[in-house]
mmCIF file of all heavy atoms in Angstrom:
data_model
loop_
_atom_site.group_PDB
_atom_site.id
_atom_site.type_symbol
_atom_site.label_atom_id
_atom_site.label_comp_id
_atom_site.label_asym_id
_atom_site.label_seq_id
_atom_site.Cartn_x
_atom_site.Cartn_y
_atom_site.Cartn_z
ATOM 1 N N GLY A 1 32.274 107.800 41.053
ATOM 2 C CA GLY A 1 31.990 109.144 40.547
ATOM 3 C C GLY A 1 33.306 109.868 40.000
ATOM 4 O O GLY A 1 33.235 110.671 39.135
ATOM 5 N N MET A 2 34.404 109.453 40.564
ATOM 6 C CA MET A 2 35.623 110.082 40.154
ATOM 7 C C MET A 2 36.060 109.641 38.768
ATOM 8 O O MET A 2 36.693 110.306 38.003
ATOM 9 C CB MET A 2 36.865 109.660 41.096
ATOM 10 C CG MET A 2 36.736 110.289 42.487
ATOM 11 S SD MET A 2 36.779 112.124 42.476
ATOM 12 C CE MET A 2 35.057 112.506 42.798
ATOM 13 N N MET A 3 35.536 108.429 38.424
ATOM 14 C CA MET A 3 35.835 107.990 37.023
ATOM 15 C C MET A 3 35.044 108.815 36.039
ATOM 16 O O MET A 3 35.507 109.070 34.910
ATOM 17 C CB MET A 3 35.400 106.507 36.827
ATOM 18 C CG MET A 3 36.203 105.539 37.679
ATOM 19 S SD MET A 3 35.679 103.954 37.785
ATOM 20 C CE MET A 3 36.266 103.313 36.120
ATOM 21 N N PHE A 4 33.902 109.355 36.420
ATOM 22 C CA PHE A 4 33.097 110.153 35.565
ATOM 23 C C PHE A 4 33.789 111.519 35.311
ATOM 24 O O PHE A 4 33.559 112.207 34.322
ATOM 25 C CB PHE A 4 31.736 110.409 36.226
ATOM 26 C CG PHE A 4 30.751 111.162 35.405
ATOM 27 C CD1 PHE A 4 30.279 110.712 34.135
ATOM 28 C CD2 PHE A 4 30.306 112.454 35.825
ATOM 29 C CE1 PHE A 4 29.458 111.534 33.425
ATOM 30 C CE2 PHE A 4 29.439 113.183 35.071
ATOM 31 C CZ PHE A 4 29.031 112.765 33.897
ATOM 32 N N ALA A 5 34.638 111.939 36.279
ATOM 33 C CA ALA A 5 35.280 113.207 36.144
ATOM 34 C C ALA A 5 36.546 113.193 35.321
ATOM 35 O O ALA A 5 37.367 114.119 35.295
ATOM 36 C CB ALA A 5 35.756 113.634 37.561
ATOM 37 N N ASN A 6 36.691 112.109 34.481
ATOM 38 C CA ASN A 6 37.794 111.957 33.488
ATOM 39 C C ASN A 6 39.109 111.863 34.185
ATOM 40 O O ASN A 6 40.181 112.166 33.495
ATOM 41 C CB ASN A 6 37.747 113.116 32.460
ATOM 42 C CG ASN A 6 36.599 112.996 31.597
ATOM 43 O OD1 ASN A 6 36.121 111.940 31.228
ATOM 44 N ND2 ASN A 6 36.105 114.150 31.168
ATOM 45 N N HIS A 7 39.214 111.474 35.408
ATOM 46 C CA HIS A 7 40.510 111.211 36.040
ATOM 47 C C HIS A 7 41.217 109.974 35.437
ATOM 48 O O HIS A 7 42.410 109.839 35.480
ATOM 49 C CB HIS A 7 40.411 111.053 37.509
ATOM 50 C CG HIS A 7 40.010 112.428 38.149
ATOM 51 N ND1 HIS A 7 40.719 113.581 38.019
ATOM 52 C CD2 HIS A 7 38.919 112.666 38.970
ATOM 53 C CE1 HIS A 7 40.056 114.510 38.778
ATOM 54 N NE2 HIS A 7 39.042 114.002 39.332
ATOM 55 N N PHE A 8 40.370 109.059 34.949
ATOM 56 C CA PHE A 8 40.817 107.777 34.339
ATOM 57 C C PHE A 8 40.301 107.641 32.955
ATOM 58 O O PHE A 8 39.342 106.931 32.742
ATOM 59 C CB PHE A 8 40.385 106.655 35.209
ATOM 60 C CG PHE A 8 40.771 106.864 36.732
ATOM 61 C CD1 PHE A 8 39.844 107.245 37.696
ATOM 62 C CD2 PHE A 8 42.053 106.574 37.088
ATOM 63 C CE1 PHE A 8 40.223 107.423 38.968
ATOM 64 C CE2 PHE A 8 42.478 106.662 38.419
ATOM 65 C CZ PHE A 8 41.548 107.139 39.372
ATOM 66 N N PRO A 9 40.907 108.282 31.965
ATOM 67 C CA PRO A 9 40.378 108.371 30.594
ATOM 68 C C PRO A 9 40.171 106.892 30.058
ATOM 69 O O PRO A 9 39.256 106.702 29.279
ATOM 70 C CB PRO A 9 41.381 109.100 29.783
ATOM 71 C CG PRO A 9 42.120 109.864 30.768
ATOM 72 C CD PRO A 9 42.155 109.122 32.080
ATOM 73 N N ALA A 10 41.000 105.966 30.372
ATOM 74 C CA ALA A 10 40.919 104.619 29.865
ATOM 75 C C ALA A 10 39.612 103.915 30.175
ATOM 76 O O ALA A 10 39.168 103.012 29.558
ATOM 77 C CB ALA A 10 42.114 103.804 30.207
ATOM 78 N N THR A 11 39.091 104.306 31.385
ATOM 79 C CA THR A 11 37.854 103.636 31.891
ATOM 80 C C THR A 11 36.554 104.418 31.689
ATOM 81 O O THR A 11 35.528 104.035 32.060
ATOM 82 C CB THR A 11 38.023 103.328 33.349
ATOM 83 O OG1 THR A 11 38.171 104.522 34.092
ATOM 84 C CG2 THR A 11 39.129 102.407 33.616
ATOM 85 N N LYS A 12 36.735 105.582 30.975
ATOM 86 C CA LYS A 12 35.553 106.496 30.772
ATOM 87 C C LYS A 12 34.351 105.741 30.068
ATOM 88 O O LYS A 12 33.218 105.828 30.492
ATOM 89 C CB LYS A 12 35.946 107.686 30.060
ATOM 90 C CG LYS A 12 34.779 108.720 29.962
ATOM 91 C CD LYS A 12 35.278 109.951 29.225
ATOM 92 C CE LYS A 12 34.106 110.895 29.081
ATOM 93 N NZ LYS A 12 34.456 112.109 28.377
ATOM 94 N N GLU A 13 34.669 105.037 28.983
ATOM 95 C CA GLU A 13 33.591 104.401 28.210
ATOM 96 C C GLU A 13 32.973 103.212 29.043
ATOM 97 O O GLU A 13 31.765 103.082 29.032
ATOM 98 C CB GLU A 13 34.192 103.880 26.892
ATOM 99 C CG GLU A 13 34.419 104.941 25.890
ATOM 100 C CD GLU A 13 33.199 105.721 25.608
ATOM 101 O OE1 GLU A 13 32.070 105.182 25.385
ATOM 102 O OE2 GLU A 13 33.307 106.997 25.523
ATOM 103 N N LEU A 14 33.843 102.511 29.750
ATOM 104 C CA LEU A 14 33.266 101.423 30.590
ATOM 105 C C LEU A 14 32.366 102.038 31.679
ATOM 106 O O LEU A 14 31.282 101.528 31.929
ATOM 107 C CB LEU A 14 34.420 100.605 31.218
ATOM 108 C CG LEU A 14 34.014 99.517 32.177
ATOM 109 C CD1 LEU A 14 33.252 98.441 31.503
ATOM 110 C CD2 LEU A 14 35.220 98.982 32.917
ATOM 111 N N TYR A 15 32.847 103.115 32.259
ATOM 112 C CA TYR A 15 32.049 103.771 33.254
ATOM 113 C C TYR A 15 30.719 104.194 32.709
ATOM 114 O O TYR A 15 29.685 103.913 33.334
ATOM 115 C CB TYR A 15 32.782 104.925 33.840
ATOM 116 C CG TYR A 15 31.958 105.630 34.877
ATOM 117 C CD1 TYR A 15 31.862 105.168 36.246
ATOM 118 C CD2 TYR A 15 31.259 106.803 34.636
ATOM 119 C CE1 TYR A 15 31.100 105.743 37.171
ATOM 120 C CE2 TYR A 15 30.506 107.393 35.587
ATOM 121 C CZ TYR A 15 30.444 106.930 36.814
ATOM 122 O OH TYR A 15 29.642 107.499 37.758
ATOM 123 N N HIS A 16 30.779 104.814 31.576
ATOM 124 C CA HIS A 16 29.429 105.348 31.010
ATOM 125 C C HIS A 16 28.547 104.183 30.610
ATOM 126 O O HIS A 16 27.310 104.332 30.790
ATOM 127 C CB HIS A 16 29.745 106.219 29.802
ATOM 128 C CG HIS A 16 30.062 107.615 30.216
ATOM 129 N ND1 HIS A 16 29.168 108.553 30.683
ATOM 130 C CD2 HIS A 16 31.307 108.219 30.323
ATOM 131 C CE1 HIS A 16 29.759 109.638 30.962
ATOM 132 N NE2 HIS A 16 31.035 109.489 30.781
ATOM 133 N N SER A 17 29.053 103.114 30.233
ATOM 134 C CA SER A 17 28.193 101.973 29.756
ATOM 135 C C SER A 17 27.616 101.178 30.893
ATOM 136 O O SER A 17 26.595 100.641 30.757
ATOM 137 C CB SER A 17 28.922 101.083 28.731
ATOM 138 O OG SER A 17 30.046 100.428 29.354
ATOM 139 N N ILE A 18 28.426 101.024 31.982
ATOM 140 C CA ILE A 18 28.032 100.085 33.033
ATOM 141 C C ILE A 18 27.695 100.884 34.339
ATOM 142 O O ILE A 18 26.579 100.842 34.823
ATOM 143 C CB ILE A 18 29.090 99.025 33.286
ATOM 144 C CG1 ILE A 18 29.294 98.150 32.058
ATOM 145 C CG2 ILE A 18 28.676 98.160 34.476
ATOM 146 C CD1 ILE A 18 30.438 97.245 32.160
ATOM 147 N N TYR A 19 28.702 101.512 34.872
ATOM 148 C CA TYR A 19 28.628 102.052 36.196
ATOM 149 C C TYR A 19 27.718 103.306 36.332
ATOM 150 O O TYR A 19 27.023 103.505 37.356
ATOM 151 C CB TYR A 19 29.999 102.381 36.757
ATOM 152 C CG TYR A 19 30.888 101.216 37.020
ATOM 153 C CD1 TYR A 19 31.944 100.994 36.176
ATOM 154 C CD2 TYR A 19 30.505 100.309 37.910
ATOM 155 C CE1 TYR A 19 32.787 99.870 36.377
ATOM 156 C CE2 TYR A 19 31.324 99.184 38.153
ATOM 157 C CZ TYR A 19 32.459 99.028 37.359
ATOM 158 O OH TYR A 19 33.210 97.880 37.569
ATOM 159 N N PHE A 20 27.702 104.134 35.319
ATOM 160 C CA PHE A 20 26.916 105.403 35.409
ATOM 161 C C PHE A 20 25.464 105.051 35.719
ATOM 162 O O PHE A 20 24.914 105.665 36.656
ATOM 163 C CB PHE A 20 27.080 106.226 34.146
ATOM 164 C CG PHE A 20 26.317 107.468 34.204
ATOM 165 C CD1 PHE A 20 26.842 108.542 34.870
ATOM 166 C CD2 PHE A 20 25.132 107.658 33.640
ATOM 167 C CE1 PHE A 20 26.180 109.718 34.986
ATOM 168 C CE2 PHE A 20 24.412 108.871 33.674
ATOM 169 C CZ PHE A 20 24.968 109.877 34.408
ATOM 170 N N THR A 21 24.878 104.198 34.936
ATOM 171 C CA THR A 21 23.449 103.885 35.133
ATOM 172 C C THR A 21 23.256 103.270 36.498
ATOM 173 O O THR A 21 22.398 103.623 37.269
ATOM 174 C CB THR A 21 22.918 103.046 33.950
ATOM 175 O OG1 THR A 21 23.109 103.704 32.787
ATOM 176 C CG2 THR A 21 21.404 102.700 34.202
ATOM 177 N N PHE A 22 24.035 102.258 36.802
ATOM 178 C CA PHE A 22 23.910 101.576 38.075
ATOM 179 C C PHE A 22 24.174 102.481 39.231
ATOM 180 O O PHE A 22 23.374 102.498 40.155
ATOM 181 C CB PHE A 22 24.897 100.416 38.082
ATOM 182 C CG PHE A 22 24.789 99.568 39.269
ATOM 183 C CD1 PHE A 22 23.650 98.791 39.589
ATOM 184 C CD2 PHE A 22 25.798 99.481 40.237
ATOM 185 C CE1 PHE A 22 23.597 98.023 40.715
ATOM 186 C CE2 PHE A 22 25.722 98.777 41.428
ATOM 187 C CZ PHE A 22 24.601 97.972 41.619
ATOM 188 N N ASN A 23 25.223 103.254 39.080
ATOM 189 C CA ASN A 23 25.584 104.177 40.240
ATOM 190 C C ASN A 23 24.593 105.365 40.447
ATOM 191 O O ASN A 23 24.195 105.594 41.522
ATOM 192 C CB ASN A 23 26.980 104.693 39.947
ATOM 193 C CG ASN A 23 27.844 104.839 41.120
ATOM 194 O OD1 ASN A 23 27.469 104.427 42.211
ATOM 195 N ND2 ASN A 23 29.026 105.538 40.961
ATOM 196 N N ASN A 24 24.399 106.033 39.378
ATOM 197 C CA ASN A 24 23.535 107.258 39.522
ATOM 198 C C ASN A 24 22.044 106.978 39.599
ATOM 199 O O ASN A 24 21.316 107.767 40.080
ATOM 200 C CB ASN A 24 23.813 108.261 38.374
ATOM 201 C CG ASN A 24 25.129 108.965 38.580
ATOM 202 O OD1 ASN A 24 25.797 108.747 39.610
ATOM 203 N ND2 ASN A 24 25.489 109.822 37.667
ATOM 204 N N CYS A 25 21.584 105.919 38.935
ATOM 205 C CA CYS A 25 20.221 105.644 38.940
ATOM 206 C C CYS A 25 19.673 104.622 39.974
ATOM 207 O O CYS A 25 18.529 104.579 40.293
ATOM 208 C CB CYS A 25 19.793 105.119 37.519
ATOM 209 S SG CYS A 25 20.084 106.302 36.169
ATOM 210 N N TRP A 26 20.610 103.862 40.543
ATOM 211 C CA TRP A 26 20.195 102.922 41.534
ATOM 212 C C TRP A 26 20.827 103.150 42.909
ATOM 213 O O TRP A 26 20.104 103.405 43.890
ATOM 214 C CB TRP A 26 20.465 101.527 41.080
ATOM 215 C CG TRP A 26 19.705 101.107 39.986
ATOM 216 C CD1 TRP A 26 19.960 101.194 38.616
ATOM 217 C CD2 TRP A 26 18.309 100.578 40.071
ATOM 218 N NE1 TRP A 26 18.894 100.744 37.842
ATOM 219 C CE2 TRP A 26 17.891 100.389 38.680
ATOM 220 C CE3 TRP A 26 17.500 100.340 41.044
ATOM 221 C CZ2 TRP A 26 16.644 99.874 38.414
ATOM 222 C CZ3 TRP A 26 16.244 99.756 40.784
ATOM 223 C CH2 TRP A 26 15.785 99.599 39.431
ATOM 224 N N ILE A 27 22.162 103.077 42.971
ATOM 225 C CA ILE A 27 22.856 103.041 44.269
ATOM 226 C C ILE A 27 22.534 104.341 45.062
ATOM 227 O O ILE A 27 22.032 104.226 46.207
ATOM 228 C CB ILE A 27 24.362 102.823 44.103
ATOM 229 C CG1 ILE A 27 24.564 101.405 43.721
ATOM 230 C CG2 ILE A 27 25.092 103.148 45.329
ATOM 231 C CD1 ILE A 27 26.028 101.071 43.524
ATOM 232 N N ILE A 28 22.835 105.460 44.550
ATOM 233 C CA ILE A 28 22.653 106.703 45.302
ATOM 234 C C ILE A 28 21.205 107.025 45.579
ATOM 235 O O ILE A 28 20.919 107.667 46.611
ATOM 236 C CB ILE A 28 23.403 107.887 44.611
ATOM 237 C CG1 ILE A 28 23.786 108.941 45.705
ATOM 238 C CG2 ILE A 28 22.596 108.511 43.509
ATOM 239 C CD1 ILE A 28 24.686 108.541 46.709
ATOM 240 N N ASN A 29 20.365 106.611 44.728
ATOM 241 C CA ASN A 29 18.877 106.843 44.937
ATOM 242 C C ASN A 29 18.292 105.977 46.063
ATOM 243 O O ASN A 29 17.143 106.169 46.421
ATOM 244 C CB ASN A 29 18.089 106.689 43.647
ATOM 245 C CG ASN A 29 18.369 107.845 42.664
ATOM 246 O OD1 ASN A 29 18.671 109.015 43.085
ATOM 247 N ND2 ASN A 29 18.417 107.535 41.401
ATOM 248 N N ILE A 30 19.056 104.979 46.467
ATOM 249 C CA ILE A 30 18.632 104.117 47.517
ATOM 250 C C ILE A 30 19.391 104.515 48.813
ATOM 251 O O ILE A 30 18.854 104.655 49.902
ATOM 252 C CB ILE A 30 18.817 102.571 47.246
ATOM 253 C CG1 ILE A 30 17.902 102.180 46.110
ATOM 254 C CG2 ILE A 30 18.603 101.737 48.442
ATOM 255 C CD1 ILE A 30 18.188 100.870 45.516
ATOM 256 N N ALA A 31 20.644 104.697 48.629
ATOM 257 C CA ALA A 31 21.570 104.949 49.783
ATOM 258 C C ALA A 31 21.258 106.236 50.513
ATOM 259 O O ALA A 31 21.200 106.270 51.730
ATOM 260 C CB ALA A 31 23.066 104.894 49.323
ATOM 261 N N MET A 32 21.091 107.301 49.820
ATOM 262 C CA MET A 32 20.885 108.639 50.468
ATOM 263 C C MET A 32 19.544 108.648 51.196
ATOM 264 O O MET A 32 19.546 109.051 52.402
ATOM 265 C CB MET A 32 21.041 109.800 49.520
ATOM 266 C CG MET A 32 22.514 110.052 49.102
ATOM 267 S SD MET A 32 23.593 110.262 50.425
ATOM 268 C CE MET A 32 22.928 111.661 51.286
ATOM 269 N N PRO A 33 18.423 108.290 50.581
ATOM 270 C CA PRO A 33 17.211 108.284 51.402
ATOM 271 C C PRO A 33 17.323 107.339 52.608
ATOM 272 O O PRO A 33 16.786 107.658 53.633
ATOM 273 C CB PRO A 33 16.145 107.769 50.353
ATOM 274 C CG PRO A 33 16.698 108.243 49.013
ATOM 275 C CD PRO A 33 18.198 108.065 49.144
ATOM 276 N N MET A 34 18.001 106.158 52.369
ATOM 277 C CA MET A 34 18.148 105.211 53.521
ATOM 278 C C MET A 34 18.964 105.869 54.644
ATOM 279 O O MET A 34 18.605 105.723 55.797
ATOM 280 C CB MET A 34 18.726 103.925 53.087
ATOM 281 C CG MET A 34 18.782 102.933 54.127
ATOM 282 S SD MET A 34 19.206 101.197 53.708
ATOM 283 C CE MET A 34 20.475 101.312 52.479
ATOM 284 N N PHE A 35 20.016 106.585 54.222
ATOM 285 C CA PHE A 35 20.901 107.184 55.285
ATOM 286 C C PHE A 35 20.111 108.216 56.055
ATOM 287 O O PHE A 35 20.229 108.286 57.291
ATOM 288 C CB PHE A 35 22.119 107.772 54.616
ATOM 289 C CG PHE A 35 23.247 107.905 55.546
ATOM 290 C CD1 PHE A 35 24.075 106.886 55.909
ATOM 291 C CD2 PHE A 35 23.552 109.206 56.048
ATOM 292 C CE1 PHE A 35 25.134 107.102 56.753
ATOM 293 C CE2 PHE A 35 24.552 109.452 56.870
ATOM 294 C CZ PHE A 35 25.393 108.403 57.281
ATOM 295 N N VAL A 36 19.374 109.052 55.374
ATOM 296 C CA VAL A 36 18.550 110.129 56.044
ATOM 297 C C VAL A 36 17.476 109.465 56.875
ATOM 298 O O VAL A 36 17.224 109.905 58.016
ATOM 299 C CB VAL A 36 17.993 111.083 54.971
ATOM 300 C CG1 VAL A 36 17.116 112.169 55.626
ATOM 301 C CG2 VAL A 36 19.096 111.781 54.218
ATOM 302 N N PHE A 37 16.783 108.458 56.347
ATOM 303 C CA PHE A 37 15.789 107.793 57.092
ATOM 304 C C PHE A 37 16.325 107.161 58.378
ATOM 305 O O PHE A 37 15.693 107.350 59.416
ATOM 306 C CB PHE A 37 15.210 106.571 56.159
ATOM 307 C CG PHE A 37 14.160 105.752 56.796
ATOM 308 C CD1 PHE A 37 12.833 106.048 56.719
ATOM 309 C CD2 PHE A 37 14.596 104.619 57.530
ATOM 310 C CE1 PHE A 37 11.899 105.206 57.304
ATOM 311 C CE2 PHE A 37 13.621 103.765 58.089
ATOM 312 C CZ PHE A 37 12.324 104.091 58.009
ATOM 313 N N ILE A 38 17.444 106.578 58.305
ATOM 314 C CA ILE A 38 18.105 105.968 59.497
ATOM 315 C C ILE A 38 18.499 107.064 60.478
ATOM 316 O O ILE A 38 18.272 106.914 61.727
ATOM 317 C CB ILE A 38 19.348 105.102 59.121
ATOM 318 C CG1 ILE A 38 18.920 103.891 58.387
ATOM 319 C CG2 ILE A 38 20.101 104.743 60.322
ATOM 320 C CD1 ILE A 38 19.976 103.136 57.773
#
């Protein structure tokens, strides 16, 4: 998520093309409900 905040401008495009979808649409949508469930 820190990459999304433009702390690392060289990786911004890579982040948006790969990690953003994976991170925001998959990982956190599984991890947070699982953490609260547990």
